[in-house]
Amino acid sequence: MAAVEDLMGLARQAESELDNNAAEVDRILHICNACRYCESFCAVFPAMTRRLDFNVADAHYLANLCHNCSACLYACQYAPPHEFGVNLPKTLARVRRDTYIEYAFPKAFGELYRRNGLTVAMAVSLGVAAFLIATIAIRGSLLVHGLEGEFYAIFPHNLLAVLFGASFLFSIAALAVGVTRFWRQVSEPGRPVPLSDAVGEAAKSALTLQYLGGGHGDGCNNEDDGFTLWRRRFHHFTFYGFMLCFASTSVATLYHYLFAIEAPYPVFSLPVILGTLGGVGLLIGPAGLFWLNMKRNQMQTDERQKVMDRGFIALLFFISLTGLALLIWRESAAMPLLLAIHLGFVMGLFLTLPYGKFAHGIFRCAALLKHAIEKRRPNPIQAGSD
């Protein structure tokens, strides 16, 4: 009963914060709409000029269109210490956190995760790893010689397929429900547009991280007014590293079910090459993003999101580290122990995918698609036309 009341209290607090954060977006964007100095910086500003007032749905849409490059903060004549106190990156960052919570499925999970991102991510991963280690220990010794990378001698393939497949499918379904709720709220009827063109533009913006160029191609601001492309580069390492690992798993699944070729695969096989390249990317990218996160100017970010950011960064880094360690020592006696630890972090990622930083990529793609559709329609107020 106490837990239910606690969750209800968190829900009321979140709703109040959402209203306050959306109201601050409305106040700031009225000032921005009058000034429009930053309108060429990113997609947020042309989207802004299509509106005279900004409701909660607009706040969610524009918050997820913002890449927090912070170029507008350093260019703004009304930024603190000016009495107007215009800080658009920080304000939109607060609303983005509201987005993850507001549209989470089940919503109560989002409420819990927003308080404990890093703690929950590590607790789930290490808890699953400890359970798997205990399972191996009960059956015998943790150090087993002579298996030569035979992972399925430790955990049967069908058991892993059911456990990890079910967790992954749940996360995908939860993310799909969340982004569908988001899309329904931010979308509005209008003139039909060529959808393939809009999808192509949104995909290009997402894959190139166009808006981490700061509007001029020199990059973002991180700890000061100097521009840097490292945030864009580390995001690319992370994203393409993740996709290579996903491709490795997909190819291995095809090998298993279509060609009856079971793991372990040779070092120069396609699954291992893709997984190794992806693993290296997932070491460099998350380590770099953590370094930038530590140095980030507090003026630019919502401090409360750092646990969520670092939880996701830590999961990706440790998945890659333990995966590469498993590859290197897969024929040693330590293989069962390394396998249990690696699977623990993978399960931790799967279970927290819908309630952490991973969700931002899904919501951002939806916001980029809405922007691509919207800009192909007539501007209803022409606020940025003169």
Side-chain angles (χ1 to χ4, degrees):
M1 189 63 184
V4 173
E5 291 177 353
D6 189 34
L7 287 177
M8 292 178 64
L10 285 172
R12 287 192 294 271
Q13 179 186 345
E15 189 172 348
S16 174
E17 287 183 14
L18 173 59
D19 290 341
N20 292 336
N21 293 334
E24 180 64 0
V25 170
D26 182 59
R27 182 188 78 84
I28 288 178
L29 288 182
H30 272 89
I31 298 171
C32 294
N33 240 345
C35 172
R36 299 209 309 268
Y37 179 81
C38 301
E39 65 184 9
S40 64
F41 281 18
C42 72
V44 169
F45 297 97
M48 171 194 74
T49 62
R50 304 176 67 92
R51 292 160 174 81
L52 291 176
D53 292 300
F54 305 88
N55 57 30
V56 172
D58 294 328
H60 280 299
Y61 162 50
L62 296 172
N64 285 280
L65 206 51
C66 170
H67 285 56
N68 206 337
C69 77
S70 299
C72 59
L73 174 65
Y74 287 94
C76 182
Q77 61 184 318
Y78 303 117
H82 190 279
E83 61 181 327
F84 287 179
V86 172
N87 189 336
L88 192 57
K90 193 181 190 85
T91 304
L92 292 180
R94 288 174 173 161
V95 176
R96 271 197 302 281
R97 193 184 71 139
D98 294 334
T99 298
Y100 309 147
I101 299 164
E102 181 71 13
Y103 300 105
F105 175 81
K107 191 171 181 178
F109 284 21
E111 294 292 342
L112 292 171
Y113 192 73
R114 70 171 182 156
R115 283 177 147 190
N116 307 292
L118 181 59
T119 306
V120 169
M122 290 298 102
V124 170
S125 302
L126 295 176
V128 173
F131 175 77
L132 295 176
I133 290 170
T135 302
I136 299 171
I138 289 170
R139 294 165 55 189
S141 172
L142 283 177
L143 301 177
V144 182
H145 295 276
L147 291 179
E148 298 180 345
E150 293 288 345
F151 305 136
Y152 302 141
I154 306 301
F155 299 110
H157 175 272
N158 289 341
L159 175 65
L160 295 179
V162 169
L163 288 178
F164 286 81
S167 301
F168 184 70
L169 289 177
F170 168 77
S171 293
I172 295 301
L175 284 169
V177 171
V179 78
T180 301
R181 289 173 171 172
F182 172 80
W183 186 261
R184 284 177 177 168
Q185 183 167 13
V186 304
S187 294
E188 51 197 26
R191 191 184 71 181
V193 301
L195 192 58
S196 59
D197 292 350
V199 170
E201 180 186 317
K204 181 182 178 184
S205 298
L207 292 174
T208 61
L209 293 174
Q210 174 186 353
Y211 296 114
L212 284 182
H216 38 62
D218 294 327
C220 297
N221 301 100
N222 196 53
E223 66 270 28
D224 52 33
D225 59 356
F227 301 114
T228 175
L229 284 167
W230 282 111
R231 188 156 166 254
R232 189 179 194 174
R233 291 166 181 158
F234 288 136
H235 269 89
H236 274 140
F237 272 114
T238 303
F239 174 74
Y240 289 107
F242 184 88
M243 295 308 294
L244 284 169
C245 290
F246 183 75
S248 170
T249 304
S250 300
V251 171
T253 302
L254 292 177
Y255 275 21
H256 185 93
Y257 287 108
L258 289 185
F259 306 113
I261 305 174
E262 294 188 353
Y265 301 109
V267 171
F268 292 106
S269 64
L270 188 57
V272 175
I273 291 173
L274 290 172
T276 303
L277 292 175
V280 172
L282 282 182
L283 283 181
I284 297 172
L289 290 175
F290 181 78
W291 172 59
L292 292 177
N293 186 278
M294 293 288 288
K295 296 169 54 181
R296 199 89 200 265
N297 190 326
Q298 295 185 10
M299 282 280 292
Q300 304 170 19
T301 63
D302 177 10
E303 281 294 303
R304 295 171 300 177
Q305 286 194 44
K306 284 194 171 180
V307 289
M308 181 188 294
D309 295 346
R310 292 174 184 176
F312 185 57
I313 288 171
L315 273 180
L316 292 179
F317 182 84
F318 284 115
I319 285 172
S320 177
L321 184 67
T322 56
L324 292 174
L326 182 60
L327 174 63
I328 293 170
W329 287 293
R330 64 179 178 174
E331 296 185 3
S332 75
M335 184 272 283
L337 180 60
L338 291 172
L339 178 63
I341 295 172
H342 178 62
L343 292 178
F345 281 108
V346 174
M347 182 61 86
L349 175 70
F350 282 6
L351 293 176
T352 57
L353 274 182
Y355 315 112
K357 193 66 177 181
F358 183 85
H360 93 289
I362 308 299
F363 288 114
R364 178 150 295 152
C365 288
L368 287 169
L369 178 59
K370 174 177 168 59
H371 176 63
I373 292 172
E374 193 175 71
K375 67 191 287 188
R376 284 168 170 75
R377 292 173 174 161
N379 188 329
I381 61 173
Q382 300 296 322
S385 61
D386 53 342

